Amino acid sequence: MRNHLAIVLTSLMGLCVAAADDKVETKKPTGCEVGAEVPPFYVREITSDHPNLAVCLVCKNGDRPSVLVSVRKIDQQVERLLAAIDRTVDSHRAEGLRGFAIFLPADAKDLKDLPARLTTLARDRNLSLPLTIPVESTTGPASLKLPDGVQTTVLFY
């Protein structure tokens, strides 16, 4: 009888601990925080097999390891970074590595000029990495919570 009572008490204690664990809320990371999930969002592809197509590359890449580069200003350092990432993605494509870059223009005028500039950049640097612009707004996908004032953000997910 004592053994049966000990088993019942142990089971009840386990249920109380499990119930207490359910009540403890852990804050899930969001946006660009380490460990956060990258939410799906649409971009307009400028350089790819399907130019000018609005697509969710996060969805397309699925659970594969991916690199997302967010660029607010194009300069020589960004061009070299994109070329290096492009080479890395290409050399590890068999392992499933994917990537893309999203360019966030300062205003509507820059957005108008950006597709031609990105096409030239891809051709000059021989990039196969998809270069994209946001569909949602010129500030990029709000769900990513990209840091303001940061020219280039690289996310690995």
Side-chain angles (χ1 to χ4, degrees), residues 91-144:
S91 65
H92 294 284
R93 193 167 297 281
E95 290 92 7
L97 184 61
R98 300 294 187 267
F100 66 98
I102 181 170
F103 292 80
L104 307 173
D107 54 33
K109 182 195 177 299
D110 288 346
L111 182 60
K112 182 181 174 194
D113 300 336
L114 200 51
R117 186 159 185 210
L118 295 179
T119 302
T120 302
L121 171 63
R123 185 182 61 242
D124 290 350
R125 292 284 186 161
N126 198 27
L127 301 176
S128 59
L129 188 73
L131 305 181
T132 69
I133 57 175
V135 170
E136 186 178 313
S137 71
T138 58
T139 60
S143 55
L144 277 182

Side-chain angles (χ1 to χ4, degrees), residues 63-83:
D63 290 334
R64 295 180 192 97
S66 298
V67 180
L68 185 161
V69 184
S70 165
V71 178
R72 294 185 195 279
K73 181 181 175 192
I74 303 171
D75 58 18
Q76 290 289 52
Q77 287 180 317
V78 167
E79 289 183 18
R80 287 194 301 271
L81 174 68
L82 291 172

Side-chain angles (χ1 to χ4, degrees), residues 36-101:
E37 288 188 28
V38 175
F41 60 91
Y42 281 88
V43 294
R44 187 162 310 282
E45 292 186 313
I46 302 302
T47 62
S48 69
D49 295 335
H50 307 288
N52 209 28
L53 178 70
V55 65
C56 175
L57 290 175
V58 173
C59 302
K60 184 177 177 182
N61 293 339
D63 290 334
R64 295 180 192 97
S66 298
V67 180
L68 185 161
V69 184
S70 165
V71 178
R72 294 185 195 279
K73 181 181 175 192
I74 303 171
D75 58 18
Q76 290 289 52
Q77 287 180 317
V78 167
E79 289 183 18
R80 287 194 301 271
L81 174 68
L82 291 172
I85 290 173
D86 185 63
R87 286 191 306 273
T88 302
V89 168
D90 280 347
S91 65
H92 294 284
R93 193 167 297 281
E95 290 92 7
L97 184 61
R98 300 294 187 267
F100 66 98

